[in-house]
């Protein structure tokens, strides 16, 4: 199975801050197979970025993704109040599909 | 508007069975694979399994933790996906989500609201 790790596990930030979350896969993954999700408490996850860098329809442009091989990044260019949530990376390169453990972004 | 609505969750004793349903609307259900995930209380997301479309034989794949106990099926005429869960144990306690799978490559753009399954004596 492909293991996904994320760092940091949690961070505190202020509105307007630039936030970067890193995801590392246990083996090389084609960029096409990495997705990022946002989850707020009590809600279902929401797809933000697919294929490492493609913005899902309706998602604000302050979200962006990049990466290749084993290292992938989610960036929020200017954190907004509604962005405080937990973020997960996920690989679809091979079954079983696996997620990172999540990065919780909260208010400083 | 695309909607996925899960139902069928609840409290069940260890060893018993439960069937979850996922009613879809707002898209041509038969054109999409459907994938189930779960999330134990306070934990991360876990892939449970998927069912492909009719052209792909409605073939299924499962996580090792549920293989042989869980079965995913679909009824395209009713736009419903099912998750039959047998021999439930306490580790199966979670919120279960159904999702629309935009494969290829697999990505999950619509999620249901989730249904809570609690396995406890």
């Amino acid at each position: 199975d492909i293991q996904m790790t994320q760092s940091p596990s949690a961070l505190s930030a202020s509105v307007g801050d630039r936030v970067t979350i890193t995801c590392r896969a246990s083996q090389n993954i084609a960029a096409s197979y990495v997705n990022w999700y946002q989850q707020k408490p009590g809600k279902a996850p929401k797809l933000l970025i697919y294929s490492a860098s493609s913005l899902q329809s309706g998602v604000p442009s302050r979200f962006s993704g990049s990466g290749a091989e084993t290292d992938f990044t989610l960036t929020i260019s200017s954190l907004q109040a509604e962005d405080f949530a937990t973020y997960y990376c996920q690989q679809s390169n091979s079954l079983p599909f696996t997620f990172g453990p999540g990065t919780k972004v909260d208010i400083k | 508007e695309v909607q996925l609505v899960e139902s069928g969750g609840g409290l069940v004793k260890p060893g018993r069975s439960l069937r979850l349903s996922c009613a879809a609307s707002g898209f041509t259900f038969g054109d999409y694979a459907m994938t189930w995930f779960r999330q134990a209380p306070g934990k991360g997301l876990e892939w449970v399994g998927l069912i492909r479309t009719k052209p792909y034989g409605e073939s299924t794949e499962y996580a090792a933790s549920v293989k042989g106990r869980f079965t995913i099926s679909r009824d395209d005429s009713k736009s419903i996906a099912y998750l039959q869960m047998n021999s439930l144990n306490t580790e199966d306690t979670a919120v279960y989500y159904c999702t629309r799978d935009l494969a290829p490559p697999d990505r999950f753009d619509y999620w249901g609201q989730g249904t809570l399954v609690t396995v406890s004596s």
Side-chain angles (χ1 to χ4, degrees):
Chain A
D1 297 2
I2 297 176
Q3 310 301 320
M4 306 293 280
T5 57
Q6 287 181 236
S7 60
S9 56
L11 65 89
S12 295
S14 301
V15 171
D17 284 353
R18 182 181 182 89
V19 169
T20 299
I21 299 168
T22 298
C23 177
R24 177 160 289 175
S26 59
Q27 63 188 71
N28 281 5
I29 298 177
S32 299
Y33 299 102
V34 175
N35 307 310
W36 288 92
Y37 299 84
Q38 175 194 67
Q39 187 178 33
K40 296 182 179 179
K43 299 295 187 183
K46 173 186 175 183
L47 178 63
L48 298 177
I49 300 288
Y50 64 94
S51 299
S53 60
S54 296
L55 192 67
Q56 174 66 8
S57 175
V59 174
S61 59
R62 62 182 180 273
F63 291 93
S64 64
S66 64
E69 298 187 342
T70 60
D71 295 311
F72 300 89
T73 300
L74 174 70
T75 299
I76 309 172
S77 60
S78 178
L79 197 68
Q80 300 301 300
E82 59 268 31
D83 300 337
F84 292 97
T86 299
Y87 294 85
Y88 295 94
C89 60
Q90 177 255 323
Q91 66 82 20
S92 299
N93 186 82
S94 62
L95 293 172
F97 300 147
T98 49
F99 290 83
T103 295
K104 185 175 182 180
V105 178
D106 63 17
I107 302 172
K108 182 184 286 185
Chain B
E1 180 194 5
V2 172
Q3 280 197 308
L4 298 172
V5 179
E6 299 99 338
S7 60
L11 175 64
V12 61
K13 293 184 183 332
R16 298 289 185 93
S17 299
L18 206 59
R19 188 178 80 160
L20 306 183
S21 299
C22 171
S25 60
F27 65 101
T28 304
F29 182 75
D31 287 349
Y32 294 86
M34 298 297 292
T35 298
W36 289 86
F37 295 96
R38 67 184 181 183
Q39 187 169 35
K43 302 297 184 182
L45 295 159
E46 180 186 15
W47 173 74
V48 173
L50 64 84
I51 185 165
R52 299 184 178 92
T53 58
K54 201 174 292 288
Y56 292 91
E58 298 186 355
S59 56
T60 54
E61 306 284 353
Y62 298 96
S65 57
V66 307
K67 194 170 186 178
R69 300 188 299 123
F70 288 14
T71 302
I72 299 173
S73 60
R74 63 190 298 155
D75 185 336
D76 289 353
S77 68
K78 296 181 179 178
S79 297
I80 299 178
Y82 299 100
L83 178 62
Q84 176 68 43
M85 303 184 294
N86 299 332
S87 303
L88 285 161
N89 57 59
T90 55
E91 289 75 42
D92 297 318
T93 294
V95 174
Y96 285 74
Y97 296 102
C98 69
T99 70
R100 186 175 79 164
D101 188 340
L102 284 178
D106 297 89
R107 63 192 189 273
F108 312 100
D109 64 338
Y110 283 95
W111 295 60
Q113 84 286 357
T115 188
L116 176 63
V117 173
T118 303
V119 184
S120 175
S121 54

